[in-house]
Amino acid sequence: MNPQLRRKVALLDLHLHYEKIQDEIDTAIKRVFASKQFILGSEVKELEHEIAAYCHSDYAIGCASGSDAILLALMAYDIGVGDEVITTPYTFFATVGSIVRLGAKPVFVDIEESTFNMNPQALAALINDKTRAILPIHLFGQCADMEPIKALAKSIGIPVIEDAAQAIGAEYKGERAGKLGALAAFSFYPSKNLGGAGDGGMLTTDDAALAEKLQALRAHGARKKYFHDYVGLNSRLDSLQAAILRVKLKYLEVWSEARRENARRYQNLFSQTNLLTAGKVRLPVEVAGMRHVYNQYVIVVEARDRLMAYLKEQGIGTEIYYPLPLHLQTCFADLGFHRGDFPVSEKAAATALAIPVHPELTAADQQYVVESIEAFYAV
Ligand SMILES: *Cc1c(COP(=O)(O)O)cnc(C)c1O
C-alpha cells in the first residue's frame, strides 16, 4: 500500500471525544468541587432520573462499576451458595465473576454464531430446581433475543437480569435495554458508549421494592446510616462521575447514531470488495427489530491474529473481545469444563476482531481500514 496514504486510526479516540465537550465537562467538574459533595448527592440523583428516563425505566440506582451492578443485581435476589445462574461463556469476565463471587454456580449456554448473544433454544434443557436467574448479555451493543428468554423465565418464576453494560440505548422490538428484564446492569467504563472519567455503573428496574433494596445494598446494606439490614457493598457512585456523565448523556443519541452510520458505511465499503463473497470477512448481523448501538463493531475473519498484527503495522487499532471464553479460564477450572464444550463461543474467540467504529471516525478512516484489510488478504 502507498505509504503516503498511511494514517492512524485508533480503536477508540477519547481525546477527540473529550475535545468537543471540554468546556461543558470542565464546568460540571467545577460545580462538583463548589458543592463539596463528592459521593452520591444531587448529581447522582439527577443522573439516576435522567438514565431512568432514557431507558424508559421507573428507577435507576447508581453504583461504583458495571461489575458491581451485576453483583448487586444478584445480591438483590439473594442469590448465593447452592444457586445456579444461566449465562454465556462469551462475555466480559464480570458477568460470570459476579456469580462465582457470591458462591453461586454459573451454568453456561452457548451463543448464536450470527449475533454472539445467548442462544435461547439451548436454555430449557439447563433449567432445574436450583436455577435462580437467567443473565443474558447484550453483547457489543445488540440486545439478546429477550422474548423466548423471558417467556421461559416467566414460566418457572425466575428473573431475567440484563447485562446491558455495552448496550445503553439499544432497543429490542421498540423497547430499550434496561427495560427488558426485571433488572439491568449498565457500565460507565470509559470505553462504553456512555463512558465516565473512571469507573461507574447503574442499575435500572421497574420494581420499587428492588430499587429501594439496591439503594441499601450499595451503601453497606444500611437504609439508615450505621444501621445495617444487609451485608452490602461500598459501591457508591461518585458525584464527579455523575456530573461528567450528565454532560455526556445529552450527546448519547448523536453518538449512537454516528456509530450506526459508521456501521452502515462499513457495510457499503465491504460490499464493494470481494472479502465477503470470498468468505474472508463476515460482518456483524443486525437482527430485524433491533437497534444495535455498536459499542463494538466485531467482524469474523480468516487468519485473525495475523490480520490484527498487520493492521497494527498500518496504524489501525483493533481488539479481540474475547480471546478465551470463560469456561476455559484458569480461575474457573474447578467448574470442570473442557475445550469443545461450547464450540460456538470457542470459534468466536478464535475468529472475532473489533475494528474502529467510534463516533469520531471519519469516512476516510473507514475507507483506509477496509482497504488495509483488502491489502492483507491480497498478498
Ligand atoms: C464492561 C462490562 C462489564 C463490567 O463493567 P465495569 O464497569 O468495567 O465493571 C460487565 N459486562 C460486560 C458485558 C461489559 O462489557
Side-chain angles (χ1 to χ4, degrees):
M1 175 162 290
N2 184 345
Q4 282 168 323
L5 292 177
R6 198 173 181 287
R7 53 203 292 145
K8 192 124 192 91
V9 187
L11 185 64
L12 185 64
D13 196 328
L14 289 176
H15 189 75
L16 272 179
H17 198 69
Y18 170 58
E19 247 174 21
K20 291 188 188 160
I21 53 171
Q22 187 166 357
D23 291 346
E24 280 181 273
I25 297 272
D26 293 355
T27 304
I29 291 171
K30 284 196 185 120
R31 190 172 71 225
V32 172
F33 273 87
S35 79
K36 299 188 182 57
Q37 165 87 58
F38 291 114
I39 291 171
L40 297 176
S42 64
E43 294 288 346
V44 172
K45 273 208 186 76
E46 290 301 320
L47 178 70
E48 287 172 342
H49 286 138
E50 289 161 10
I51 294 281
Y54 181 82
C55 295
H56 308 160
S57 276
D58 290 352
Y59 305 96
I61 305 94
C63 64
S65 70
S67 302
D68 275 7
I70 300 168
L71 193 64
L72 286 162
L74 297 168
M75 288 169 74
Y77 286 108
D78 299 311
I79 288 171
V81 177
D83 296 332
E84 295 186 359
V85 177
I86 303 177
T87 192
T88 87
Y90 192 67
T91 175
F92 179 61
F93 178 80
T95 320
V96 177
S98 304
I99 298 168
V100 175
R101 264 270 137 246
L102 294 172
K105 184 178 158 194
V107 172
F108 291 123
V109 58
D110 213 343
I111 55 170
E112 295 174 324
E113 194 161 1
S114 58
T115 62
F116 309 102
N117 277 329
M118 177 176 279
N119 183 346
Q121 277 165 8
L123 271 181
L126 301 172
I127 303 278
N128 63 42
D129 57 3
K130 293 182 190 148
T131 312
R132 293 290 313 281
I134 304 177
L135 179 36
I137 302 99
H138 303 323
L139 204 67
F140 304 142
Q142 178 161 247
C143 292
D145 191 3
M146 293 297 282
E147 241 165 38
I149 297 171
K150 279 164 74 172
L152 181 67
K154 193 174 173 195
S155 73
I156 53 170
I158 61 168
V160 177
I161 300 168
E162 303 168 63
D163 182 341
Q166 301 181 4
I168 191 161
E171 290 176 11
Y172 177 89
K173 300 186 180 175
E175 202 59 85
R176 285 242 159 118
K179 178 78 173 181
L180 301 167
L183 250 183
F186 291 93
S187 165
F188 303 130
Y189 185 78
S191 68
K192 302 295 160 78
N193 284 15
L194 180 63
D199 277 314
M202 187 75 68
L203 294 124
T204 57
T205 183
D206 287 346
D207 184 323
L210 268 184
E212 197 268 342
K213 186 173 181 182
L214 285 163
Q215 272 162 5
L217 284 172
R218 73 171 171 192
H220 285 306
R223 290 194 163 88
K224 192 175 139 197
K225 210 171 184 185
Y226 307 126
F227 294 84
H228 302 268
D229 299 325
Y230 315 104
V231 181
L233 304 177
N234 168 9
S235 186
R236 302 164 301 217
L237 183 60
D238 289 344
S239 317
L240 270 174
Q241 295 306 334
I244 291 166
L245 290 163
R246 289 183 65 204
V247 172
K248 295 185 75 176
L249 181 59
K250 291 188 286 178
Y251 298 93
L252 183 59
E253 278 305 286
V254 173
W255 291 332
S256 295
E257 282 307 315
R259 287 171 182 274
R260 290 175 53 71
E261 180 60 34
N262 291 343
R264 279 191 287 272
R265 194 177 292 122
Y266 271 137
Q267 176 83 48
N268 283 339
L269 288 167
F270 276 108
S271 298
Q272 290 160 34
T273 71
N274 67 356
L275 293 170
L276 305 180
T277 47
K280 303 291 184 196
V281 174
R282 202 197 76 206
L283 302 183
V285 173
E286 188 168 327
V287 179
M290 302 275 197
R291 182 190 191 217
H292 195 324
V293 290
Y294 294 98
N295 177 240
Q296 301 295 345
Y297 189 88
V298 176
I299 59 177
V300 171
V301 296
E302 207 177 276
R304 192 263 318 266
D305 294 351
R306 283 201 296 119
L307 173 64
M308 187 183 188
Y310 176 82
L311 293 177
K312 190 176 174 195
E313 282 168 21
Q314 305 308 309
I316 299 169
T318 63
E319 189 55 85
I320 298 170
Y321 301 108
Y322 298 90
L324 186 66
L326 296 175
H327 66 288
L328 299 176
Q329 297 286 342
T330 304
C331 67
F332 298 140
D334 59 354
L335 293 172
F337 293 109
H338 300 101
R339 206 162 272 282
D341 287 346
F342 302 99
V344 187
S345 296
E346 290 167 30
K347 190 173 167 198
T351 56
L353 188 68
I355 61 175
V357 72
H358 61 82
E360 290 75 27
L361 202 66
T362 66
D365 290 335
Q366 290 190 273
Q367 193 163 352
Y368 177 63
V369 171
V370 175
E371 280 170 6
S372 300
I373 294 173
E374 239 188 329
F376 171 76
Y377 289 109
V379 291

